[in-house]
């Protein structure tokens, strides 16, 4: 029976043993290319974490990227990069890789620091790029000791070695010297710094928290309700060694539970103390940006009951038993607001509703039975807007205090005739932000100012009623003119009168009677027909929009009618006539509405014209307002809250130590040169011959000057050139 023979050709590879495989793995982990690859991935992840806002609500990412990409980025944990499992794993691999690199090279470096490499041969010295020879009359031993002392005086570490030569045993001497050993110590310091910084990042990151989730049964909480009702499996102990969370405390209240945001919910961190906010202080610049915000707090120790008063400011945290309390931001602490609902259609009644910022209340529209949920989102007491060259608040709608880098640069660069645009900043008073959510859960967000705003364009002051469909959009504002009482009553009466056919007929008749001589009945009938058609189109009467496929109401309906029924050449003239007629009829309609309310008619003056001009535009725009009512702020009681960041960070000291080592290591590697000098001294022809060579880890001009200096000082040779001998030699 024959057995098959194993291949013995050149392609046959014997299987590697386990020690060999382990050695290959260690070589890979400790290699520079592996560490550089890890650092590259960490840099890319850090860029993503900087550009992409972290730990935002999921709906924000859906609005920004769309459902598909938002879900994909969520699966990759790009919304919480620095706590993602793959980021922590990369940091762990980098720690292992750098530690192995240090373990492999440190013994060699330490041995190299102790050796002088005095066994080098004379032939090797002559092969150096920087070498020189000189003859002396002194004995070899005396010359060697004199040269060694000269090097010691220059800051070199020196070792003398006697050697055998043809003249006899021990007649030759090798003078070996070295300097700049800190260069290699810098290598150890820099690599150790990377390990320490990564370890500090892992300690102060989510690694410990995630370990408790993996091994201790903790899980994020994704529900709603009171903090006291959250089960224990979603809470972390007071003895948690490391955490970083947010703590919001309203004025006059206290809290002892911090919130740790996770990608799929939150964890509650119990603190060994409670923070009471006595007073929140905020100061503003003229632009409306906060100049200073600080909190006067009282810390209630749970174990001892001791009370500690403190003041927390930005960049001035308070440390209490190893836990840092930082001033992070501020928010509304549950301000009480009173809103008045104003109907924007011809039906409906006014009513008032009270609530608390952050709360909500249910509403039912009596005409249709439709249910809404009114959510009180935010109260802003100060709104500083820029009115220079814009005619009002910027397109962002909420906050004009943004920085446009391109505009800022272009304002300062370019032609000499460029001048910076002046800003006209003005505080326009409080505003309220709320949401109306329908039965299907869809919500629109509204932002209304409390006080009338003079837009600075010479027109009537207006109430700004903002609306947007999604948080990604800017607010769009409906500008409603205010009357002489500073309210929207006149506009709302006009809006209601516009929806009543009888009042429209009376307004048309009054307008015709004032515009046409009674002796011209035919002309009066024509004007009455045109005025009725224009007013009905503007009011959104479908019967008046015959011939137009878009009976939307407002100025758009008038424009559509003209486009559908008037030849193109005659449209500008027809449009001008209809708008003039429409303005006159609407003025008479406003006068009728005031008569019904028992008010004096408007005087025919510039102020009245400004009001009516804006009223016509507002009546047209209100057709597109998505809800039949708006809420204006009537009164409020502000309650402020301070948002603290509380952190127990044992890795902070480790990171600081790592940063110090990194600075020292990089400085040593960049600015300290390792140099070695050898001088071979041997007897020759009744005298002594010295052969010197210098070696450096970097080829620099300083090295050339230093060698020339040593040639002059030790060997007594003339400088090779004037430039080479200039300047003091470094030690």
């Amino acid at each position: 029976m024959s057995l098959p023979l194993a291949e013995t050709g050149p392609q046959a590879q014997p299987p590697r043993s386990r020690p060999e495989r382990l050695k290959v793995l260690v070589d890979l982990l400790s290699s520079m290319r592996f560490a550089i690859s890890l650092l590259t991935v960490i840099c890319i992840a850090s860029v993503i974490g900087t550009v992409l806002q972290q730990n935002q609500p999921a709906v924000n990412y859906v609005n920004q990227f769309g459902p598909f990409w938002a879900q994909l980025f969520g699966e990759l944990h790009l919304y919480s990069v620095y706590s993602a499992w793959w980021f922590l794993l990369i940091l762990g691999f980098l720690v292992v890789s750098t530690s192995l690199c240090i373990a492999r090279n440190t013994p060699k470096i330490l041995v190299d620091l102790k050796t002088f490499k005095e066994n080098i041969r004379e032939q090797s010295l002559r092969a150096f790029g920087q070498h020189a020879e000189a003859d002396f009359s002194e004995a070899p031993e005396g010359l060697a000791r004199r040269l060694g002392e000269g090097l010691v005086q220059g800051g070199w570490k020196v070792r003398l070695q006697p050697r055998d030569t043809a003249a006899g045993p021990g007649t030759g001497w090798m003078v070996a010297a070295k300097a700049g050993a800190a260069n290699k110590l810098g290598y150890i310091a820099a690599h150790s710094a990377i390990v320490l910084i990564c370890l500090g990042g892992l300690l102060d990151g989510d690694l410990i928290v995630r370990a408790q989730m993996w091994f201790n049964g903790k899980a994020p909480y994704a529900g709603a309700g009171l903090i006291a009702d959250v089960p224990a499996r979603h809470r972390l102990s007071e003895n948690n060694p490391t955490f970083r969370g947010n703590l919001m405390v309203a004025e006059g209240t206290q809290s002892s539970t911090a919130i740790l945001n996770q990608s799929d919910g939150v964890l509650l961190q119990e603190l060994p103390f409670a923070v009471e906010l006595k007073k929140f202080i905020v100061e503003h610049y003229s632009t409306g940006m906060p100049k200073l915000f600080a909190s006067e707090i009282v810390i209630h120790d749970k174990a001892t009951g001791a009370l500690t008063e403190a003041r927390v400011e930005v960049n001035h945290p308070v440390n209490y038993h190893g836990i840092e309390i930082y001033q992070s931001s501020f928010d509304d602490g549950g301000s009480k607001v009173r809103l008045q609902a104003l109907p924007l259609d011809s039906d409906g009644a006014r009513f008032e509703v009270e609530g608390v910022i952050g709360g909500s209340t249910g509403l039912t529209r009596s005409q249709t039975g439709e249910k809404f949920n009114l959510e009180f989102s935010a109260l802003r007491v100060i709104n500083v807007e820029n009115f220079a060259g814009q005619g009002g608040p910027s397109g962002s709608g909420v906050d004009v205090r943004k920085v446009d880098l391109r505009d800022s640069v272009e304002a300062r660069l370019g032609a000499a005739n460029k001048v910076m645009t002046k800003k006209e900043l003005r505080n326009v008073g409080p505003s309220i932000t709320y949401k109306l959510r329908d039965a299907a859960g869809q919500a629109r967000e509204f932002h209304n100012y409390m006080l009338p705003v003079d837009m600075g364009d010479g027109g009537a002051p207006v109430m700004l009623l903002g609306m947007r469909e999604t948080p990604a959009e800017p607010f769009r504002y409906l500008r409603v003119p205010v009357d002489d009482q500073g309210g929207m009553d006149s506009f709302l009466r006009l809006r209601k009168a516009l929806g009543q056919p009888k009042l429209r007929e009376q307004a048309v008749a009054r307008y015709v009677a004032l515009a046409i001589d009674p002796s011209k009945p035919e002309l009066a009938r024509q004007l009455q027909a045109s005025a009725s058609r224009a007013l009905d189109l503007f009011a959104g009467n479908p019967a008046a929009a015959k011939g137009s496929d878009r009976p939307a109401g407002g100025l758009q309906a008038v424009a559509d009618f003209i486009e559908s029924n008037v030849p193109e050449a005659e449209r500008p003239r027809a449009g001008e006539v209809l708008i003039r007629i429409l303005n006159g009829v609407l003025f008479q309609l406003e006068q009728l509405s005031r008569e019904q309310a028992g008010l004096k008619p408007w005087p025919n003056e510039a102020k009245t014209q400004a009001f009516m001009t804006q009223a016509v535009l507002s009546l047209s725009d209100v057709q597109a307002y998505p809800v039949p009512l708006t809420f204006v702020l009537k009164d409020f009681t502000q309650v402020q809250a301070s948002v603290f960041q509380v952190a127990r960070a044992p890795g902070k000291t480790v990171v600081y130590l790592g940063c110090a080592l990194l600075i020292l290591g990089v400085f040593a590697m960049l600015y300290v040169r390792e140099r070695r000098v050898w001088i071979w001294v041997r007897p020759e022809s009744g005298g002594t011959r010295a052969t010197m060579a210098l070696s450096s880890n970097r080829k620099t001009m300083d090295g050339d000057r230093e060698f020339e200096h040593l040639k002059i000082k030790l060997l007594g040779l003339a400088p090779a050139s004037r430039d080479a001998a200039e300047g003091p030699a470094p030690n």
Side-chain angles (χ1 to χ4, degrees):
M1 182 177 180
S2 62
L3 297 175
L5 299 177
E7 289 188 42
T8 58
Q11 296 183 357
Q13 297 289 339
R16 290 178 175 176
S17 63
R18 180 174 296 179
E20 289 177 338
R21 291 196 297 269
L22 181 60
K23 182 178 182 301
V24 171
L25 178 61
V26 171
D27 289 341
L28 173 63
L29 291 176
S30 60
S31 64
M32 180 176 293
R33 64 178 183 274
F34 184 74
I36 291 176
S37 300
L38 293 177
L39 285 172
T40 302
V41 176
I42 289 176
C43 290
I44 294 174
S46 299
V47 170
I48 295 174
T50 302
V51 174
L52 184 61
Q53 288 189 344
Q54 302 289 286
N55 300 315
Q56 297 295 309
V59 65
N60 290 8
Y61 299 116
V62 174
N63 292 332
Q64 185 175 1
F65 303 114
F68 174 77
W69 292 107
Q71 183 178 2
L72 178 61
F73 293 163
E75 294 293 334
L76 296 175
H77 298 278
L78 297 185
Y79 306 141
S80 53
V81 170
Y82 304 113
S83 60
W85 64 267
W86 52 266
F87 187 82
L88 299 177
L89 184 63
I90 292 173
L91 283 181
F93 270 115
L94 184 60
V95 170
V96 173
S97 175
T98 311
S99 300
L100 288 175
C101 185
I102 295 173
R104 291 182 60 183
N105 293 286
T106 298
K108 301 176 184 178
I109 292 174
L110 295 179
V111 170
D112 189 67
L113 290 176
K114 296 177 181 179
T115 60
F116 286 79
K117 300 182 180 180
E118 64 271 19
N119 294 322
I120 193 170
R121 297 180 176 276
E122 181 181 5
Q123 294 84 352
S124 300
L125 297 181
R126 292 195 175 100
F128 278 80
Q130 295 174 321
H131 71 279
E133 298 184 47
D135 294 324
F136 296 87
S137 59
E138 302 175 56
E141 182 178 357
L143 177 61
R145 296 189 181 279
R146 182 174 66 82
L147 295 176
E149 291 176 359
L151 288 170
V152 170
Q153 292 175 0
W156 296 74
K157 293 183 178 180
V158 180
R159 176 176 292 178
L160 301 180
Q161 180 194 48
R163 286 190 188 178
D164 298 339
T165 64
T171 56
W173 288 80
M174 174 60 73
V175 181
K178 63 180 181 179
N183 176 270
K184 290 187 175 180
L185 293 177
Y187 171 89
I188 299 176
H191 285 69
S192 300
I194 295 176
V195 174
L196 291 175
I197 292 173
C198 291
L199 285 176
L202 290 173
L203 286 175
D204 290 349
D206 279 0
L207 183 61
I208 303 299
V209 174
R210 288 189 173 274
Q212 296 184 60
M213 294 167 60
W214 294 333
F215 306 112
N216 203 20
K218 301 297 182 180
Y221 180 71
L226 299 176
I227 290 180
D229 299 333
V230 177
R233 64 187 301 262
H234 306 297
R235 297 175 178 269
L236 300 177
S237 168
E238 296 178 358
N239 300 321
N240 187 12
T242 174
F243 60 83
R244 186 178 298 273
N246 294 324
L247 181 71
M248 189 173 85
V249 188
E251 286 181 322
T253 66
Q254 57 180 275
S255 177
S256 62
T257 305
I259 306 297
L260 278 62
N261 292 320
Q262 302 294 311
S263 58
D264 51 350
V266 297
L267 289 170
L268 303 185
Q269 173 63 57
E270 298 294 341
L271 301 176
F273 54 81
V275 176
E276 177 187 356
L277 180 61
K278 294 181 60 179
K279 183 179 181 181
F280 180 76
I281 304 167
V282 59
E283 299 177 3
H284 296 85
Y285 291 104
S286 60
T287 60
M289 291 293 291
K291 177 171 59 176
L292 165 72
F293 50 95
S295 302
E296 295 182 357
I297 63 173
V298 178
I299 301 175
H300 299 254
D301 193 296
K302 292 182 178 179
T304 64
L307 303 181
T308 304
E309 295 188 358
R311 179 184 173 96
V312 185
E313 297 183 19
V314 177
N315 298 326
H316 296 283
V318 171
N319 186 294
Y320 189 79
H321 295 337
I323 298 179
E324 298 279 354
I325 305 174
Y326 299 89
Q327 180 70 65
S328 177
S329 61
F330 58 93
D331 206 338
D332 194 285
S335 299
K336 298 179 180 180
V337 294
R338 180 166 59 90
L339 308 182
Q340 185 180 41
L342 300 177
L344 295 178
D345 55 3
S346 57
D347 299 325
R350 303 184 182 190
F351 61 92
E352 290 190 354
V353 59
E354 295 183 356
V356 176
I357 298 299
S360 63
T361 185
L363 300 174
T364 302
R365 192 180 182 194
S366 58
Q367 291 83 356
T368 61
E370 188 177 5
K371 294 184 180 298
F372 291 94
N373 199 48
L374 175 61
E375 302 175 3
F376 307 94
S377 301
L379 170 70
R380 294 187 57 178
V381 178
I382 296 178
N383 288 275
V384 177
E385 307 288 0
N386 182 16
F387 287 80
Q390 300 183 37
S394 68
S396 67
V398 177
D399 196 351
V400 299
R401 294 160 290 177
K402 58 182 180 180
V403 176
D404 191 327
L405 181 60
R406 179 176 178 181
D407 291 346
S408 299
V409 172
E410 289 182 350
R412 292 165 173 80
L413 301 179
N417 61 350
K418 279 190 176 181
V419 295
M420 291 185 61
T421 303
K422 294 183 179 179
K423 292 184 178 181
E424 183 186 339
L425 301 177
R426 194 192 319 158
N427 181 13
V428 295
S431 65
I432 183 69
T433 303
Y434 63 90
K435 291 181 180 179
L436 280 179
R437 192 177 302 274
D438 58 23
Q442 299 297 319
R444 292 185 177 93
E445 190 173 13
F446 299 85
H447 178 251
N448 297 345
Y449 289 86
M450 181 180 184
L451 303 175
V453 178
D454 184 356
M455 306 302 292
D457 54 3
V462 296
M463 297 292 293
L464 295 176
L465 310 178
M467 187 278 300
R468 64 182 177 186
E469 298 286 347
T470 65
E473 300 176 357
F475 281 102
R476 294 170 292 148
Y477 285 91
L478 174 65
R479 301 183 180 186
V480 178
V482 297
D483 51 28
D484 51 359
Q485 302 299 319
M488 295 189 293
D489 294 346
S490 295
F491 174 81
L492 295 176
R493 282 195 300 267
L494 179 58
R495 169 66 176 157
K496 186 175 182 179
L498 185 62
Q500 299 178 18
K502 290 184 178 181
L503 279 181
R504 294 204 300 266
E505 292 177 3
Q506 295 178 26
V508 170
R510 181 177 292 189
Y511 171 74
V512 172
L514 294 174
I516 302 297
D517 190 341
S519 62
K520 300 178 180 180
E522 184 64 26
L523 187 58
R525 284 193 296 270
Q526 293 178 2
L527 180 58
Q528 183 172 5
S530 298
S532 297
R533 173 62 64 86
L535 190 58
D536 288 345
L537 283 170
F538 190 79
N541 185 3
K546 184 178 181 181
S548 175
D549 56 351
R550 291 186 296 175
L555 295 175
Q556 183 63 49
V558 177
D560 292 341
F561 176 81
I562 294 175
E563 185 176 353
S564 302
N565 296 275
V566 178
E568 184 175 359
E570 301 177 10
R571 289 175 188 172
R573 176 60 180 171
E576 182 180 349
V577 171
L578 277 181
I579 292 300
R580 187 183 302 118
I581 293 173
L582 179 62
N583 288 337
V585 176
L586 285 174
F587 178 69
Q588 297 303 324
L589 186 62
E590 167 66 14
Q591 299 288 49
L592 285 172
S593 68
R594 292 181 67 86
E595 290 178 8
Q596 286 189 341
L599 301 174
K600 295 181 180 180
W602 282 105
N604 190 6
E605 58 185 13
K607 185 176 180 181
T608 303
Q609 289 182 341
F611 173 86
M612 288 305 304
T613 299
Q614 183 59 53
V616 172
L617 297 176
S618 302
L619 288 172
S620 177
D621 293 340
V622 80
Q623 305 280 348
Y625 204 74
V627 292
L629 77 167
T630 187
F631 291 88
V632 295
L633 183 63
K634 301 301 293 183
D635 194 12
F636 64 89
T637 302
Q638 187 184 24
V639 178
Q640 298 191 101
S642 188
V643 180
F644 302 103
Q645 185 180 86
V646 290
R648 177 181 281 156
K652 180 177 66 174
T653 304
V654 179
V655 172
Y656 287 163
L657 177 60
C659 291
L661 284 179
L662 184 62
I663 294 172
L664 293 176
V666 171
F667 182 86
M669 290 191 294
L670 292 180
Y671 298 102
V672 177
R673 292 179 298 111
E674 183 189 19
R675 296 102 65 205
R676 291 181 181 269
V677 171
W678 297 272
I679 305 177
W680 169 241
V681 180
R682 63 178 175 82
E684 183 177 297
S685 302
T688 302
R689 189 167 186 82
T691 302
M692 183 178 70
L694 182 140
S695 172
S696 176
N697 63 334
R698 287 196 304 273
K699 178 69 175 176
T700 62
M701 295 180 63
D702 288 340
D704 296 334
R705 287 197 293 267
E706 183 176 25
F707 183 68
E708 293 297 327
H709 177 76
L710 292 175
K711 283 170 53 178
I712 298 170
K713 178 181 178 180
L714 300 179
L715 303 185
L717 298 177
S721 64
R722 182 177 179 181
D723 294 339
E726 287 182 354
N731 291 329

